[in-house]
């Protein structure tokens, strides 16, 4: 497999050198935060730590407390509109890039800003993702996010422009117009929320609408292996799904050339270690998990000194992998493709934790399933009742194709561990999710609180 | 009056030096076009001119043919999607900024692209506009244009970022959200289509919603003196209205510190002469008009060598002014504020040419007029009948305030030269135009062809 290196010396370096570089950069970041950033200094003081006493990355992860959405929100509410964490950067009277989050509490609540120089450095991180996905400067890309105050959209636009791509901002157009523009301008790539790429393929007549299309870059949502595999195969154009957030102000985990890998050895999202320190920690102990184990993603930027981001717990769980996991031999750690999910998205049904991605994985493993919807109800005893309505690509031979239904129900029972009522609909009977998939309807009594 | 110089030496230079610089740059541009651009070479060859024979700016304007929308369209139709004029730039396989026009023939038809380096140079032109309007790098601005494939939006975003402003892209939000964001983030400036700034003021409760707001930058449409004056006064924040087009890929005429000036000596939009050669030509003879005379704007870029723009006739008419017209003493020529109008927008009523801007000027000279609508009908003899419906700010004392109506009718007759039926409505009786003003309804028989 051809290696696509964005920075040859770093990507062929060894783990020890990468860790040393990380710690050096981390010290800079901690010094800046301690000196200029009241938000972090107060958190650390409350935890009884002084940044100058931190002697190693292990020391850092053991002693520096994590910050979460709640901390950012409290900071902003006490010191609107930017919070103490932005005071230093704002006082420089320099150009900034100011983004808000979409978040569960409604659009535009949480603010995360970068100085212009931080934002330019962030574009260097994105460059790895574009390069690994097969794009080179001068290539063209459709950026299918509206450009608003949200991080998603602005970040992609700046990342793609920073890498040297010709960017077509098409986020404001409808699907028919996008397909028409794809045919007219024949881009090399397209960036979008992941499920929208499936939507676009489903509504398009030509496959793919741009004959030059060599890569798709998905983001904003994760998905199980089978779903990602299907999206990768739909136009015979690979889909590279990346990871990042408004808090990190850039996507910072990307698949290498192996992309999703194989079912037996799934691919890996490589963290861009020289720019971000990524931990996956056990939610109970707070300790880093071992290769192949699951935990919460915690991120520290190694280059934001104007507006630091230090040990931000992302509310996402994933399966961690050491650099050695991936045959590409890059000395960067990462997480397993198809293993990321919002911790908030977890559904507890009949006492069992269910990650929507696991359902995706089972259902999209069936070639004939186009879309699905799950309704959770409470039966007369207030016990959970889970119904999966399935929309096939082709009209089933018999409306209630009993054999197919039974096959799906068995697969679900086997993988998820609970029984589902499976119903088969007609093509067109379910809405196809244009943006982030919204497939769960929870009508249960205990959800009404 | 304080001078705000973006480039002190150029802005305090003399006309002779500016013209010499222009011709030097023009020769580069012509050489590049002749050598690499089949679109221009064919136009010139057909006109019997070779660019190397051009010995002066006067020579250039006399012998090089103008290009128009029709030429661009024909080029694209013959060589889709970009036309011959983009062949050279596209062959460089470099990053580009690709925009389409909104135009009369529907969105997205005409394509105008720049290489990244041309686009960066264009941002230098915009810097004059920001500086003259009172903004300095590090200031923040709300950019109220959606970012799409249209020139308007992308150009402003890149211009503002290139100048060093903190940009809030708010074009996708509704007016209520924009006002809320203005209050929350307190920007120093806002950019928008001109009439939207009036709309925003009309629907806002606080004046202005950002207490830090020191400038508004209008664009995308022109307006009469009275209208611009009113917009300038509504929040006690000056409105600087600029000029440019997707074809020029940057706004390139801006008001200096005098802005709209006075009724007797209206302000001037200064062309950024070192970057653009601007002519105002008589539509019949094709000759440059004299100071104070009206003609069509013709623009040549002096720095686009990858995708030249040479003698592009803009379809806009304006009153030309020599540099000496403006007391600011900048050695740049320009056009008179309030004098620009689409040639296509001209209405012929009762045999008289009427520019909508002239109507604006009369009506918005009355303090109590909020909005208006003109309906053109044909009476039973098929003669034109022009009715102006006026929406006042306050409910009139008597529904048909005869004295006020007669005053308006007299003012219109005096300025426009024809009689109008004037009707007075109630506040709220007319829609307020959110984007470009659409105030004319033409139901006349001769419009039905």
């Amino acid at each position: 497999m051809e290696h696509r290196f964005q920075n040859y010396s770093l990507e062929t370096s060894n783990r020890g050198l990468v860790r040393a570089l990380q710690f050096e950069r981390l010290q800079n970041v901690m010094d800046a935060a301690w000196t200029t950033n009241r938000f972090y200094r107060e958190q650390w003081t409350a935890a009884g730590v002084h940044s100058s006493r931190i002697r190693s990355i292990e020391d850092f992860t053991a002693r520096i407390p994590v910050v979460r959405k709640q901390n950012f929100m409290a900071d902003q509410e006490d010191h609107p509109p930017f919070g103490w964490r932005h005071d230093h950067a704002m006082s420089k009277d320099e150009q900034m890039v100011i983004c808000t989050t979409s978040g569960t509490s409604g659009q535009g609540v949480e603010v995360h800003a970068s100085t212009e120089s931080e934002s330019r450095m962030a574009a260097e991180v994105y460059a790895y993702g574009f390069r690994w996905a097969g794009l080179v400067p001068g290539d063209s890309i459709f950026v299918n996010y509206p450009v608003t105050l949200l991080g998603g959209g602005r970040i992609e636009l700046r990342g793609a422009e920073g890498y040297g791509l010709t960017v077509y901002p098409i986020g404001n157009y409808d699907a028919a117009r996008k397909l028409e523009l794809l045919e007219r301008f024949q881009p090399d790539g397209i960036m979008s929320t992941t499920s929208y790429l499936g939507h676009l393929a489903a509504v398009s007549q030509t496959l793919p609408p741009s004959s030059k299309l060599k890569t798709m870059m998905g983001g904003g949502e994760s998905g199980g292996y089978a779903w990602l595999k299907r999206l990768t195969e739909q136009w015979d154009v690979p889909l590279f799904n990346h990871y990042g957030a408004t808090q990190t102000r850039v996507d910072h985990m990307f698949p290498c050339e192996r992309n999703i890998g194989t079912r037996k050895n799934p691919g890996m999202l490589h963290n861009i270690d020289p720019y971000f320190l990524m931990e996956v920690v056990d939610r109970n102990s707070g300790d880093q998990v071992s290769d192949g184990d699951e935990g919460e993603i915690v991120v520290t930027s190694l280059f934001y000194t104007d507006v630091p981001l230090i040990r931000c717990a992302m509310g996402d769980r994933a399966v961690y992998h050491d650099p050695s996991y991936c045959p590409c031999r890059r000395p960067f750690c990462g997480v397993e493709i198809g293993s990321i999910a919002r911790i908030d998205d977890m559904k507890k049904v009949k006492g069992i934790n269910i990650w929507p991605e696991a359902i995706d994985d089972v259902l999209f493993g069936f070639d004939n399933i186009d879309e699905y919807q799950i309704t959770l109800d409470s039966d007369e005893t207030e016990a959970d009742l889970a119904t999966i309505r399935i929309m096939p690509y082709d009209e089933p031979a018999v409306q209630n194709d009993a054999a197919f239904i039974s096959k799906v129900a068995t697969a679900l029972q086997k993988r998820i561990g609970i029984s589902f009522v499976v119903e088969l609909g007609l093509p067109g009977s379910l809405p196809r999710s244009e943006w982030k998939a919204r497939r769960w309807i929870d009508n249960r009594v205990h959800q009404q609180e």
Side-chain angles (χ1 to χ4, degrees), chain A:
Chain A
M1 184 169 289
E2 167 219 23
H3 277 87
R4 302 180 192 131
F5 292 119
Q6 172 62 15
N7 182 324
Y8 182 83
S9 64
L10 276 171
E11 291 174 60
T12 57
S13 159
N14 67 60
R15 190 63 183 156
L17 285 172
V18 169
R19 292 295 269 183
L21 176 66
Q22 285 189 312
F23 187 60
E24 191 189 312
R25 293 185 173 176
L26 182 59
Q27 283 178 304
N28 277 341
V29 165
M30 280 193 295
D31 285 351
W34 185 268
T35 319
T36 67
N37 205 293
R38 209 162 152 178
F39 172 76
Y40 284 102
R41 196 168 54 235
E42 295 219 340
Q43 310 261 351
W44 300 350
T45 305
V49 209
H50 189 298
S51 62
S52 66
R53 308 263 162 70
I54 302 292
R55 302 278 176 236
S56 66
I57 292 180
E58 292 66 32
D59 227 18
F60 168 80
T61 57
R63 298 170 63 197
I64 296 286
V66 299
V67 291
R68 289 183 178 279
K69 182 188 183 67
Q70 300 88 289
N71 304 107
F72 297 137
M73 292 300 295
D75 181 37
Q76 270 175 225
E77 274 158 29
D78 294 346
H79 317 284
F82 295 105
W84 271 347
R85 67 191 183 283
H86 290 107
D87 274 1
H88 170 68
M90 298 306 287
S91 75
K92 296 175 85 177
D93 284 332
E94 279 178 15
Q95 181 175 24
M96 298 193 72
V97 179
I98 294 168
C99 294
T100 60
T101 55
S102 51
T104 44
S105 40
Q107 265 203 19
V109 178
E110 226 175 294
V111 184
H112 293 280
S114 295
T115 52
E116 178 69 15
S117 58
E118 287 179 327
S119 178
R120 282 181 201 276
M121 289 279 274
E124 292 180 23
V125 180
Y126 234 132
Y128 286 81
F130 290 118
R131 181 73 190 109
W132 294 354
L135 295 170
V136 294
D139 278 353
S140 61
I141 193 165
F142 272 39
V143 173
N144 182 31
Y145 294 90
V147 177
T148 65
L149 288 186
L150 291 184
R154 194 86 187 278
I155 288 171
E156 284 77 3
L157 178 68
R158 291 180 69 92
E161 289 189 339
Y163 180 59
L165 299 176
T166 294
V167 175
Y168 294 80
I170 56 149
N172 273 25
Y173 301 115
D174 64 22
R177 188 75 194 283
K178 281 166 189 162
L179 290 170
E180 180 196 312
L181 291 167
L182 280 163
E183 287 182 42
R184 178 174 175 198
F185 291 113
Q186 297 285 312
D188 303 293
I190 181 169
M191 292 185 92
S192 175
T193 53
T194 315
S195 54
Y196 194 86
L197 293 166
H199 172 73
L200 215 50
V203 299
S204 99
Q205 302 301 315
T206 9
L207 306 170
S210 167
S211 62
K212 286 180 63 193
L213 200 65
K214 58 184 176 185
T215 196
M216 301 191 287
M217 296 182 72
E221 54 193 333
S222 48
Y225 180 86
W227 187 53
L228 292 175
K229 186 171 165 61
R230 172 193 294 184
L231 291 171
T232 289
E233 289 168 354
Q234 61 189 2
W235 278 338
D236 198 20
V237 170
L239 178 136
F240 290 79
N241 218 35
H242 49 254
Y243 177 87
T246 305
Q247 290 78 3
T248 54
R249 293 165 259 155
V250 66
D251 292 304
H252 60 92
M253 288 203 273
F254 303 94
C256 68
E257 309 83 6
R258 277 193 80 235
N259 198 357
I260 62 170
T262 62
R263 161 65 76 182
K264 265 199 150 167
N265 291 295
M268 169 173 167
L269 290 175
H270 298 265
N271 182 58
I272 311 302
D273 278 344
Y275 293 83
F276 283 94
L277 178 70
M278 197 272 298
E279 308 163 56
V280 177
V281 302
D282 183 290
R283 289 267 284 174
N284 298 315
S285 68
D287 295 339
Q288 168 69 43
V289 302
S290 308
D291 183 276
D293 287 345
E294 184 178 296
E296 182 176 12
I297 296 172
V298 174
V299 175
T300 299
S301 146
L302 298 173
F303 65 100
Y304 292 143
T305 49
D306 296 320
V307 187
L309 183 80
I310 300 174
R311 294 210 83 217
C312 180
M314 304 301 290
D316 290 318
R317 50 127 216 161
V319 171
Y320 171 78
H321 280 305
D322 283 332
S324 58
Y325 173 82
C326 187
C328 81
R329 303 174 61 94
R330 286 180 177 83
F332 303 162
C333 71
V335 302
E336 189 167 308
I337 291 255
S339 78
I340 304 172
R342 286 300 296 168
I343 286 168
D344 302 342
D345 275 353
M346 189 201 74
K347 310 283 175 187
K348 212 171 176 112
V349 183
K350 303 185 187 189
I352 300 290
N353 293 342
I354 302 182
W355 301 104
E357 285 73 8
I359 305 275
D360 285 2
D361 203 20
V362 173
L363 293 186
F364 293 131
F366 290 92
D367 281 336
N368 197 32
I369 298 180
D370 182 8
E371 193 51 274
Y372 71 89
Q373 198 171 61
I374 297 188
T375 311
L376 301 176
D377 292 292
S378 300
D379 70 12
E380 59 287 0
T381 68
E382 294 199 4
D384 290 348
L385 184 69
T387 308
I388 294 199
R389 216 159 285 130
I390 287 166
M391 174 166 86
Y393 278 111
D394 310 303
E395 199 156 321
V398 183
Q399 172 60 13
N400 276 309
D401 187 327
F404 184 63
I405 287 178
S406 145
K407 226 162 96 183
V408 172
T410 306
L412 282 167
Q413 167 73 49
K414 198 172 154 195
R415 172 74 170 273
I416 313 295
I418 65 165
S419 61
F420 287 81
V421 178
V422 179
E423 295 176 353
L424 196 58
L426 288 171
S429 62
L430 288 178
R432 205 174 278 111
S433 171
E434 290 219 5
W435 296 96
K436 289 200 183 192
R438 295 273 173 270
R439 300 186 172 113
W440 291 72
I441 298 166
D442 203 338
N443 299 324
R444 291 174 298 178
V445 172
H446 65 79
Q447 290 298 311
Q448 317 300 322
E449 302 162 350

